[in-house]
Structure formats: structure tokens, C-alpha cells
Amino acid sequence: MTQGAPVRERKKPRPTMTAPLQTPARRRSVRRSPLAPARRTVATVFAAQGAAVAAVSTAVPVVKERLSLSPLTMTVLVVAVALSAGVGSFAGLAVIRRLGLVAAMRAAVVAAATALLLIGWAPDQAVTAVSYGLFGMALGCIDVSANTRAAAVERHYGRSVFASFYAAWSAAGVAAALVTAGTADLGRPAEYTLTAQAGLVLALALTVRAHELPTDPPCAVSDQGEPQGEPRGESVLLGRGLWVELAPGRPVEKTVWIRTR
């Protein structure tokens, strides 16, 4: 008998331990990210504005009937809302400088709810005209404050998130329209309809909270707040859709460029 070559035993592969895609520490850091709460706050303010606009728009027939307003008078009041909104935008800038951005948003939403109550319970045409003017100014203040905050949140996300804010605006508008339809179906007068709408807007105002944004340069993040990519640098708003971005860690004169949205 010939002795064969020694047989080598094959080593069994050792089981490898793979780390989870997201560790508990990572999950905790994601939950603590201030971006998601700040985004929810902006969406809430957009929703409050959408509900208020829908409330006034759908209540035009009942207000006109309650005060026996002529079609021309009602048209003038609706146009006055648009004109006073422009004034409210400039007034909103002063409120932002004095109270801060989040406080300005909250105050504007409360003012819109107050205007809804005044429109519903106004005893005469003069008070109704003042109520519509106050409502327009509140809308203008919401516009400038909410859009400024939304732009800051979007810059820190590093991608477009404005669509979610407009979705909240539309969803709240539909809800307010359904409230108007429901109260009208029950035969309730305009006072109760606009009171219910004001309560809805005021409830949204009570949920507005201040959330500080990160002080680090903005970078792209996911919906859960996870950073993705390198910091994008500081962005300065020059006008509607016009930004100047400063790349981090480089001389300013060599890294300034204009980007339009």
C-alpha cells in the first residue's frame, strides 16, 4: 500500500457579524435633528393660511346674504384683501425684526383667526370692511414670514421641500371647505361657520413652536434628518429666487456665484 498525500481539512468560514444599517446612537441623533420639527412648524403655518383663505372664500355668499351687501361691495372687499396683503408683507418684515421669525408667524396666524371671527360677527358694513383689511394684512405677514422660514429649512435640507408645504396648504384648504359645506348643510348661519373656521386656524396657531436650525453650513439631508454629502455653504437671499452661495473654507472673492431657483 502506498501512503497518499495528507488530506487538508477545510476551514469553516467564521460567521461574520454585520452591523445594522442604523445603530441606536445614529437613530437617536436623527430623532434629535431640529430639521424635522422645524419643517413641521412651517407646514403648520402653511396649513393655517390655506384654511383661512378657504374659509373666507367659501363664506362669501353667506356674508353677502347676512349683511345684504351688493355684488359690487362684496367684490371691493375681496379686492381689498389682496391689496392689504401687500401692506401686510411690508408690516411683516418689521414684525420679524422686532419679534423674530417664529413669533411673527404665530402672531400672524392668530390675527387671521381673529379676523375670521370679526368677519362672521361684524354688525355692519364698516366693521366688515375693517375685518377684511385685517385678514389681508395677516395673510401678507404669514406670506413673508412662512416663506422666509421655509427657505431657510429648505437650504438646510439641501433639496426641494417646498412641495410638502404647498400640500399642507391645499389639504387644510380642503378641510376648511368641508367645514363650510357641513355647517351650511346643517343650516347654520355665517357666524357659526366662520367661528368654526377660526377655531381650526387658532388650533393650528397653538402648535407653532420655535426650533433652532443647525449652526453648521447647510448640507443635503434625508427626510429623517440624516446628513448627505458635503456642506453647501452659506446662502444669502438677494431677491425672489435669487441667491448668493458662499462655499465653506474658501476665500469669498473666489467662491461667490449667483444661483437662481
Side-chain angles (χ1 to χ4, degrees):
M1 294 181 62
T2 60
Q3 187 175 2
V7 179
R8 295 182 180 178
E9 295 183 359
R10 294 184 178 179
K11 294 183 179 180
K12 296 181 179 180
R14 296 181 179 178
T16 57
M17 299 296 293
T18 58
L21 294 179
Q22 196 176 35
T23 62
R26 182 62 172 174
R27 286 196 296 269
R28 286 194 296 269
S29 66
V30 169
R31 292 193 190 103
R32 294 173 183 170
S33 172
L35 291 180
R39 182 178 177 179
R40 284 194 298 269
T41 295
V42 176
T44 299
V45 177
F46 269 77
Q49 188 189 46
V53 170
V56 169
S57 301
T58 56
V60 165
V62 292
V63 172
K64 179 176 176 293
E65 181 181 357
R66 186 177 71 86
L67 296 175
S68 301
L69 301 176
S70 65
L72 178 60
T73 302
M74 198 70 238
T75 302
V76 170
L77 290 177
V78 173
V79 173
V81 171
L83 296 178
S84 57
V87 178
S89 297
F90 289 99
L93 294 175
V95 175
I96 291 172
R97 295 189 188 99
R98 186 171 185 83
L99 301 179
L101 200 53
V102 177
M105 290 192 297
R106 187 186 301 112
V109 174
V110 172
T114 304
L116 289 176
L117 284 174
L118 292 176
I119 293 172
W121 296 91
D124 51 35
Q125 296 185 11
V127 177
T128 302
V130 173
S131 303
Y132 273 95
L134 174 63
F135 180 76
M137 292 190 66
L139 290 186
C141 186
I142 293 175
D143 267 338
V144 67
S145 58
N147 281 282
T148 301
R149 184 66 169 178
V153 171
E154 184 180 69
R155 290 200 303 275
H156 279 277
Y157 265 91
R159 55 189 175 83
S160 178
V161 295
F162 256 94
S164 62
F165 302 142
Y166 294 132
W169 193 98
S170 302
V174 171
L178 291 176
V179 171
T180 301
T183 54
D185 188 60
L186 295 174
R188 300 294 182 182
E191 296 91 331
Y192 295 97
T193 300
L194 290 174
T195 299
Q197 306 280 20
L200 173 63
V201 174
L202 186 59
L204 293 174
L206 295 177
T207 63
V208 176
R209 296 288 185 271
H211 300 282
E212 293 185 3
L213 295 176
T215 57
D216 298 333
C219 63
V221 297
S222 65
D223 289 329
Q224 291 77 24
E226 299 181 27
Q228 298 175 345
E230 298 296 329
R232 298 176 57 198
E234 297 294 335
S235 299
V236 181
L237 176 62
L238 296 182
R240 185 176 180 83
L242 187 62
W243 301 82
V244 169
E245 290 196 357
L246 306 180
R250 297 182 183 179
V252 173
E253 64 273 15
K254 294 184 180 179
T255 57
V256 176
W257 68 90
I258 301 296
R259 175 169 58 85
T260 57
R261 288 187 182 273

